[in-house]
Amino acid sequence: MKAQLFKKLQQITEQNLMDIESHKQNGNHAIGFYCLYAPTELATAADAIPLPLCGTRQDPIEAAEEALPRNLCPLIKSSYGFAASDTCPFFRFSDMIVADTTCDGKKKMFELMNRITPVHVLQLPQQQNTDLFLDPWKAEISLLKQKVENLTGKQITDQDISNAIQLLNREREALKRLMDVTRAIPSPLTGMELIEILFKTGFFADKHKGIAIMDEIADACETMVQNGESPFKKTTPRILMTGVPVGLGSDKVIRIIEESGANVVAFENCSGYKKTFQVDETKDPLTALAETYLSIPCSVMSPNPGRFDLLEEMITGFSVDGVVDLTWQACHTYNIEAYGVQEFVADRFALPYLHIETDYSQSDTEQLRVRIEAFLEMI
Amino acid sequence: MVSAGIDIGSRSIECVLIENGLIKAARKTDTGYDPMSQAKKLIADLSFDSILATGYGRNLFELEYDSKTVTEIKAHAKGARFSFPEALTILDIGGQDSKVIRLDITGKVVRFEMNDRCAAGTGKFLEIMAQALGFSMDTFGTAAKNAQKSLGISSMCTVFAESEVTSLLARGENPEEIAKGLHQSVVKRAAAMLNRVSPEGPVVFTGGVAKNTCIVKFLEQTIHREVWVPESPEMNGAIGAALIAGEN
């Protein structure tokens, strides 16, 4: 059952590029997004396709290093490399790129990317949920709305945004339900399978197709749990990954953890559970968007209490046996915040914790394997 | 019951036999270019009931011998407890990596940190620096201890430190003083890792670099903690592996 659904997922993935193409041939637009902070609702509200952009593979990094320093986050280098070498179809489809000033590396990289294609950069505040920071963020989102209107020629009404919020809330609900199937002990899905589903559905132009396949997979997983089927044993160590986002191509740590006999059951990162925050449908839509998106607990926020709240909820809710904290090389904010996360995991939960700083290359695979195996020996 | 432990490291391979809680045999060889054939040669004439491998070559060994494996973290924890039953902190500086391990009172690993992405501050670093200064490994530590003052070496990267040493020599600086500076920079790096991972109590110091008495002395002076060195510090991982083999 599960295998068939993965086949179907692959078929939709292959169909997806044609879906985008035909959508564009009908005169509609596509808008590329780099970071979870940018509200994709504004694209959906203007009948444009919001597309995540490539940035999880090693291949284009060499091309990126012609312009960018070597000692830089691989996510930034990969994103830029895909753009510079014109190897990301979603980038090519995008009529406009929406980015934000998440971190120093990204914002300076976007200045260079802007030479390749126009990048609209949102000025992201670095504190959350006080009016001092929420008001300018709301202004940024209004400005983005205007930009999208200018691009698409469509006037975006409050009703359009509300409809988009409803649709994407529905998508977030499906994402959460899918990620929650691994709360079962043992889990019906491997961490690698979960990554594959999250990664591939993210690119789907047709949100309804994504929601439907995620629901189908969740149904199948729930049946597996009822029948006691799982690729794991009840005693398999259950790992929570926290830190930087991961996707296909930047999954080596998850792969090694699972090759070493454990199961990654939860992703406390912006390619995982941070995608599931619901937007309030009862409030003024722009305010609701500003509030939810700004509340995403990335380490660029200072302070960043939301990450610890989320960790607390997930460590308990997913019955976790150990925490792996992943930092991409040269990501200062996650690298420094690891100190506090280590303390939190030790003091609050007395659980084994492993901090890994690495990049997308395979050069340190065996060194990582030693660390990860030793970490699992602690459980 | 004779149990064997083999530690296949990046620079050397050690093998230890343990019977009734006593070390029956201990031997070592260079890893060379073909670790598996070196390992085979090392254990060819030994007889044992069970064997367990650790170190970088452990997974290769597992395929050939159908032996179990443990990481060097667990092996070092076990080995340190064999020599010092009270051990809570272990510093291991081997040929190409260094690590600090903290244990709870039952001997279980609770935290560790490793530096293994480059040779900075490891045995290989000291070897290359000794060569650059014209010392043998046996005289390098003594030379450093004899120096009146220490010349600071600012680079920890093996490649950069070597050019720094070369330029100091070209300036006519005393090789013994440079040697002292190099030893102290290795110690500073180890001390920082110790303070992060396990900041209190005596330290069990293992790995080939623990045989360098100058490093041991500087380490004690820097961290103001007791430093315990087992009789054969380079055998520690193999001892731990042999003990775990005996348990299974």
Side-chain angles (χ1 to χ4, degrees), chain B residues 6 20 59 84 113 119 133 156 204 233 241 245:
Chain B
I6 184 161
N20 299 324
N59 293 325
F84 303 100
E113 205 174 284
L133 287 166
M156 248 321 206
V204 176

Side-chain angles (χ1 to χ4, degrees), chain A residues 329 342 352 354 357-359 361 363-364 366-375 377-379, chain B residues 55-56 58-59 69-75 102 108-117 196:
Chain A
Q329 167 205 307
Q342 189 272 129
L354 179 68
E357 187 188 2
T358 185
D359 57 15
S361 75
S363 65
D364 60 351
E366 289 314 305
Q367 284 100 325
L368 289 179
R369 200 180 298 279
V370 175
R371 279 183 178 73
I372 288 166
E373 284 182 12
F375 162 73
E377 284 170 349
M378 284 160 69
I379 291 172
Chain B
Y56 277 129
R58 69 190 182 289
N59 293 325
T69 62
V70 291
T71 64
E72 40 273 49
I73 307 288
K74 193 171 177 180
R102 190 169 82 211
K108 193 171 173 285
V109 176
V110 288
R111 204 177 154 191
F112 68 90
E113 205 174 284
M114 272 181 106
N115 162 43
D116 53 8
R117 287 207 77 170
R196 243 189 338 264

Side-chain angles (χ1 to χ4, degrees), chain A residues 41-68:
Chain A
E41 272 87 349
L42 293 176
T44 308
D47 301 322
I49 311 172
L51 290 174
L53 300 168
C54 315
T56 59
R57 289 192 190 276
Q58 170 74 18
D59 328 319
I61 285 185
E62 211 181 306
E65 284 173 352
E66 288 175 19
L68 296 170

Side-chain angles (χ1 to χ4, degrees), chain A residues 92-194:
Chain A
R92 202 179 306 150
F93 282 131
S94 298
D95 301 295
M96 172 183 166
I97 305 287
V98 180
D100 52 50
T101 57
T102 328
C103 63
D104 291 350
K106 277 192 185 171
K107 74 184 178 202
K108 298 308 284 184
M109 178 275 277
F110 290 135
E111 290 175 12
L112 299 182
M113 188 183 273
N114 192 46
R115 298 180 183 188
I116 303 169
T117 201
V119 182
H120 177 72
V121 181
L122 305 172
Q123 299 293 321
L124 178 72
Q126 309 220 321
Q127 250 186 39
Q128 298 153 313
N129 294 342
T130 62
D131 291 344
L132 186 63
F133 297 96
L134 197 57
D135 289 346
W137 180 236
K138 211 179 138 185
E140 282 294 326
I141 291 176
S142 300
L143 187 63
L144 175 62
K145 183 180 145 219
Q146 280 173 30
K147 288 270 175 186
V148 174
E149 284 174 338
N150 292 346
L151 173 76
T152 58
K154 182 187 157 148
Q155 205 66 29
I156 302 173
T157 65
D158 276 2
Q159 190 56 49
D160 293 330
I161 304 176
S162 291
N163 292 345
I165 290 174
Q166 272 181 27
L167 174 64
L168 297 189
N169 269 348
R170 179 68 195 88
E171 185 187 35
R172 288 184 273 259
E173 202 181 288
L175 276 165
K176 182 168 186 308
R177 186 178 159 220
L178 174 72
M179 285 189 253
D180 279 345
V181 301
T182 57
R183 286 178 189 253
I185 305 174
S187 144
L189 278 183
T190 69
M192 286 299 291
E193 286 171 331
L194 192 52

Side-chain angles (χ1 to χ4, degrees), chain A residues 215-259:
Chain A
D215 280 345
E216 271 186 89
I217 296 174
D219 285 340
C221 288
E222 279 163 16
T223 309
M224 282 178 70
V225 173
Q226 276 164 18
N227 299 339
E229 294 165 38
S230 166
F232 303 103
K233 297 188 197 122
K234 274 193 170 157
T235 51
T236 300
R238 298 164 61 82
I239 306 304
L240 176 137
M241 289 262 308
T242 182
V244 294
V246 286
L248 293 186
S250 62
D251 48 20
K252 67 178 176 185
V253 171
I254 304 154
R255 191 185 301 275
I256 298 171
I257 292 173
E258 297 202 321
E259 281 170 0

Side-chain angles (χ1 to χ4, degrees), chain A residues 6 9 52 171 174-176 178-179 191-204 214 217 246-248 267 269 271-273 275-276:
Chain A
F6 271 89
L9 177 68
E171 185 187 35
L175 276 165
K176 182 168 186 308
L178 174 72
M179 285 189 253
M192 286 299 291
E193 286 171 331
L194 192 52
I195 282 289
E196 184 182 339
I197 304 165
L198 295 174
F199 186 79
K200 287 183 172 167
T201 53
F203 291 103
F204 289 175
M214 283 192 280
I217 296 174
V246 286
L248 293 186
F267 294 93
N269 58 26
S271 49
Y273 226 64
K275 281 176 147 177
T276 63

